[in-house]
Amino acid sequence: NIALHEKVVAGLVVSTQSTGYYITNNLRMLRLFALSAVLVLACIADHHEDYDFGGQDESRIEALLREQGFSEKEIAALLQEDAEDRRELAKEDDEEEYISWSEAKGYDDCKDPEFMWWKNKKEGSWKGSDNEVLRSRRHHGKKGGHKKGYKGKKGEGCPKPKPLSLICAENECPKWERLNISGCGFEARKIIGAKWVTTEIDLTGTMEEGYKAAFWRLFKFISGANDQSTKIDMTVPVINKWFMNDAYEVVGASMSFYLPSAHQDSPPAPTDSSVVVESWDDAVVYDRAFGGHRMDDAVYKREFELLWKALAKSSITPFTGMSITAGYTRPGWGRQRQEVMFLDQDSV
């Protein structure tokens, strides 16, 4: 249904504006996640720029950490740990072996011209939003990837996403099963029911303000703002749900962290009334994955459009009252993985 598709995508453009700038995940430990988040939030005014975290003004970062109540000792430790983490990320990328596009994404993409959008960008200027991805493809060779490694340097982000299998080997992820649904351009996945901690993204002001406030509420919960004063390990992904009305206008949003297995049976209760622990049922989702370091609204719009069209090719109409974005990796360094998702009608 073309009219329905256009309305849904129009709503998604609003829901995904600037989303990628604030999706922030830790690759190793809780403290480094905190710094990654602050570094991304520090870049909000730098519209649509790639981020080299080491190049950010240190006084600006320290000021943001102080605003959130970190001590001088904690700030110094976070900055030192971040520098060490970046060096380790660069080393790991150099050591990684070549992985095919299908293996990286988790599915085979469609061969239709509209899904091969990058081929239409070969001629003309190398400037512009989508052409920036092409510049990185050219840097990585015709097959889109070195035989070894993917450097995480500014402006050189390979658009090939980091495989989910590698991410979940390094971090705790929710349990999921890949479903054997034929088609191209998407993956069907069953997310096993579990407990998540959630807070609303306030859209009454600017999205930036609402997103920042939501993140810090969740982060403070896992840092000890709970009835057990327990520090909880960070997990991936960070899930953002965007709710739409019958006119396909975004009317609400939420951010969620998956609670690690150690706290699934008896999760601590939040001390902030705007943070809640929820029990999610099993759910079937359809996703598209992408990498690279450009995560603005144009990239999300394109991926949601392609996901919708891929599902239509398989005669699947997802639930249109919600769109989902998921972030798995630390922006700016190493290979990236972001996903756009639709929920199956029967999982509502």
Side-chain angles (χ1 to χ4, degrees):
N1 186 314
I2 296 176
L4 176 60
H5 158 70
E6 290 177 346
K7 288 180 180 179
V8 172
V9 170
L12 295 175
V13 173
V14 176
S15 73
T16 58
Q17 283 181 341
S18 304
T19 299
Y21 288 100
Y22 321 118
I23 296 175
T24 311
N25 303 295
N26 180 24
L27 293 179
R28 282 167 187 78
M29 59 184 71
L30 180 62
R31 291 168 63 79
L32 294 182
F33 179 85
L35 186 59
S36 294
V38 172
L39 290 167
V40 172
L41 296 175
C43 298
I44 286 174
D46 303 332
H47 303 292
H48 305 303
E49 291 293 328
D50 289 322
Y51 301 142
D52 178 350
F53 293 146
Q56 296 301 316
D57 181 67
E58 191 168 287
S59 62
R60 185 182 182 190
I61 299 168
E62 290 177 357
L64 283 169
L65 287 167
R66 289 192 186 99
E67 283 179 17
Q68 298 302 321
F70 290 91
S71 69
E72 296 302 311
K73 184 177 180 180
E74 288 173 326
I75 293 172
L78 284 168
L79 291 173
Q80 177 62 32
E81 288 169 359
D82 177 69
E84 294 172 356
D85 189 52
R86 285 188 279 112
R87 286 194 293 270
E88 190 170 345
L89 277 173
K91 180 181 178 181
E92 287 180 0
D93 281 348
D94 281 336
E95 294 173 348
E96 287 180 1
E97 296 296 330
Y98 174 81
I99 295 175
S100 70
W101 280 88
S102 294
E103 185 178 358
K105 289 185 173 184
Y107 54 86
D108 293 326
D109 221 334
C110 302
K111 304 303 181 184
D112 308 56
E114 59 192 336
F115 288 87
M116 310 295 283
W117 57 268
W118 50 271
K119 284 190 174 181
N120 298 324
K121 299 288 185 178
K122 285 186 176 179
E123 302 298 329
S125 172
W126 281 93
K127 297 180 179 179
S129 60
D130 284 341
N131 283 336
E132 184 172 339
V133 177
L134 276 182
R135 287 199 298 275
S136 62
R137 280 185 65 89
R138 184 173 62 177
H139 169 77
H140 287 279
K142 292 182 179 180
K143 290 187 177 181
H146 288 309
K147 290 294 181 183
K148 275 194 174 183
Y150 296 83
K151 302 259 186 181
K153 297 178 180 178
K154 182 177 180 180
E156 296 181 358
C158 181
K160 185 183 295 184
K162 186 168 185 175
L164 196 55
S165 59
L166 294 180
I167 293 172
C168 294
E170 298 169 353
N171 310 272
E172 185 169 357
C173 300
K175 293 182 173 63
W176 58 275
E177 301 172 0
R178 180 174 288 112
L179 301 180
N180 187 23
I181 296 178
S182 61
C184 62
F186 70 94
E187 178 186 49
R189 196 185 299 162
K190 179 181 179 181
I191 309 297
I192 305 303
K195 292 184 176 66
W196 295 66
V197 59
T198 299
T199 191
E200 180 182 349
I201 298 174
D202 185 1
L203 302 179
T204 57
T206 66
M207 186 175 292
E208 289 88 348
E209 292 169 345
Y211 208 102
K212 282 195 294 183
F215 168 79
W216 285 118
R217 287 195 296 272
L218 293 183
F219 178 73
K220 288 176 180 178
F221 166 76
I222 64 174
S223 296
N226 53 70
D227 65 349
Q228 300 176 20
S229 299
T230 299
K231 290 190 176 182
I232 301 170
D233 289 338
M234 189 61 205
T235 60
V236 293
V238 172
I239 291 288
N240 302 280
K241 295 181 178 179
W242 309 90
F243 306 99
M244 292 179 284
N245 61 19
D246 291 340
Y248 305 104
E249 300 168 329
V250 176
V251 294
S254 66
M255 179 186 296
S256 300
F257 292 176
Y258 170 68
L259 284 172
S261 56
H263 298 281
Q264 280 290 318
D265 291 338
S266 300
T271 55
D272 185 337
S273 61
S274 62
V275 177
V276 296
V277 174
E278 299 178 328
S279 292
W280 293 6
D281 295 330
D282 292 357
V284 173
V285 297
Y286 306 105
D287 73 88
R288 275 187 67 85
F290 58 98
H293 295 287
R294 290 200 67 257
M295 294 177 284
D296 56 61
D297 56 307
V299 176
Y300 277 87
K301 177 178 181 290
R302 182 188 67 229
E303 294 302 323
F304 268 118
E305 285 180 335
L306 292 176
L307 176 57
W308 183 273
K309 292 176 180 178
L311 293 173
K313 285 171 63 66
S314 295
S315 300
I316 297 174
T317 301
F319 176 57
T320 59
M322 181 196 303
S323 62
I324 303 169
T325 55
Y328 290 84
T329 45
R330 173 179 176 169
W333 283 87
R335 278 194 289 158
Q336 300 291 298
R337 185 182 187 91
Q338 311 296 332
E339 292 180 349
V340 295
M341 299 178 180
F342 284 129
L343 189 65
D344 184 78
Q345 292 274 12
D346 293 334
S347 295
V348 177

